[in-house]
Amino acid sequence: ERSPTNTPNVVPKWGIYRQSQHYEICTTYPQELIIPTQLIDNHEQLLQIVKYRSKGRIPVLCYHHNFNGTNMLRCAQPLVGVGQFRRSHEDEIYITQLVNAKLIVDARPLNNARANMAKGGGYEVSTHYKDIEVFFANIENIHVIRESLQIIKELCFELLKGDDRNELMNVDDYYHKQLISSSWIKHLRYVLRGAYKIAKTMHHMYGNVIIHCSDGWDRTAQLSSLSQILLDHYYRTIKCLAILIEKEWVS
């Protein structure tokens, strides 16, 4: 496709921030982070944002969409606390002005995000982040997903044990009910819906997107990875899928 004429209003200038060998900014991020150059030059502002994000996982660039210049960033939840009274002026400027985000995708169900406030976490208050939509992808935590997967595994083992194909055909309703009760299809649906929302915002609405869950780990990586596969044919090969996994999950 040809490049569009309408691109994001603000195009941030990005640079590489190199953490020391002690990973002083974030111990669970790579040693090299891609962030706006203005933030690299203002170390005090950077540290304020680090303090405001869980595990110090600030919004960092993970994908640039060559089609129209939009960007995808990933991070962890803001530490707003009970009542959402805690704010970070530096974080708000970073996301609204330096990044010029149009969408924040919180991978969690809204109730889960609210529950995190009791532990100091939480989610972005839309009134503090002007002209940015906050979307809850409704993906359950790893414990719920693990229980769902266990039901699927047990069903598969039951099917493998069956010797009589006709007997198996007669109990299709049982397996279908077990599949539905596992909620596995529902979990897949929410991941797909979240990735579609991200891809649509970036490709068709020319908006920069930020993705996070509680600590920016499994659910965040699911959404960032799948949306990049939707957006970019580069990642639809075996070799480049491995690169994507290394980039989003391992590094």
Side-chain angles (χ1 to χ4, degrees):
E1 294 180 87
R2 63 182 180 85
S3 297
T5 54
N6 47 336
T7 54
N9 294 328
V10 178
V11 181
K13 293 182 179 179
W14 301 91
I16 298 176
Y17 179 87
R18 292 179 173 85
Q19 300 194 79
S20 72
Q21 59 181 344
H22 303 295
Y23 294 86
E24 78 283 1
I25 295 298
C26 179
T27 58
T28 59
Y29 269 170
Q31 206 158 27
E32 295 184 345
L33 311 176
I34 303 177
I35 58 177
T37 53
Q38 186 172 333
L39 202 59
I40 296 174
D41 298 335
N42 191 336
H43 198 254
E44 185 57 38
Q45 182 184 4
L46 176 60
L47 290 178
Q48 290 301 316
I49 300 169
V50 168
K51 293 176 183 177
Y52 191 65
R53 291 281 164 176
S54 179
K55 311 294 185 186
R57 294 172 67 93
I58 65 171
V60 294
L61 185 70
C62 63
Y63 175 70
H64 174 77
H65 193 30
N66 281 327
F67 174 74
N68 58 15
T70 53
N71 298 305
M72 180 190 305
L73 294 89
R74 54 181 292 182
C75 60
Q77 66 180 336
L79 303 177
V80 299
V82 179
Q84 297 182 319
F85 294 125
R86 189 162 181 256
R87 293 178 62 175
S88 169
H89 183 62
E90 292 81 6
D91 189 82
E92 293 166 20
I93 291 176
Y94 180 30
I95 290 176
T96 58
Q97 297 180 27
L98 299 186
V99 173
N100 189 34
K102 296 303 178 188
L103 174 69
I104 295 175
V105 176
D106 190 321
R108 303 167 293 183
L110 175 58
N111 287 339
N112 292 26
R114 286 173 174 162
N116 268 271
M117 291 192 292
K119 297 181 289 185
Y123 56 92
E124 291 83 1
V125 181
S126 56
T127 53
H128 299 165
Y129 296 85
K130 188 178 179 181
D131 299 326
I132 298 178
E133 176 190 359
V134 179
F135 173 79
F136 292 91
N138 214 33
I139 303 171
E140 296 290 351
N141 64 40
I142 193 171
H143 309 292
V144 175
I145 301 298
R146 186 186 293 115
E147 291 174 4
S148 178
L149 178 60
Q150 184 59 36
I151 296 174
I152 297 297
K153 289 168 67 176
E154 291 172 359
L155 277 175
C156 290
F157 287 135
E158 286 184 33
L159 285 167
L160 288 172
K161 290 177 182 177
D163 297 324
D164 190 337
R165 184 175 295 275
N166 291 326
E167 182 182 343
L168 286 176
M169 293 296 288
N170 293 333
V171 293
D172 272 353
D173 286 345
Y174 164 75
Y175 289 109
H176 183 260
K177 289 177 182 177
Q178 288 293 98
L179 176 62
I180 297 303
S181 68
S182 73
S183 297
W184 186 252
I185 301 299
K186 183 184 73 173
H187 298 321
L188 294 182
R189 172 176 174 262
Y190 285 140
V191 174
L192 287 166
R193 186 185 68 168
Y196 170 75
K197 175 81 171 177
I198 294 164
K200 181 179 179 181
T201 300
M202 293 182 65
H203 190 78
H204 295 291
M205 301 174 67
Y206 310 99
N208 296 327
V209 178
I210 293 176
I211 311 167
H212 72 73
C213 49
S214 297
D215 294 323
W217 293 344
D218 54 314
R219 286 175 285 193
T220 300
Q222 289 170 28
L223 291 176
S224 64
S225 300
L226 185 54
S227 55
Q228 286 176 62
I229 292 172
L230 293 175
L231 286 165
D232 199 330
H233 61 81
Y234 174 81
Y235 294 117
R236 298 177 209 148
T237 64
I238 297 297
K239 178 181 178 181
C240 297
L241 178 62
I243 292 173
L244 181 67
I245 293 170
E246 180 180 7
K247 177 171 74 77
E248 295 298 317
W249 293 83
V250 183
S251 296

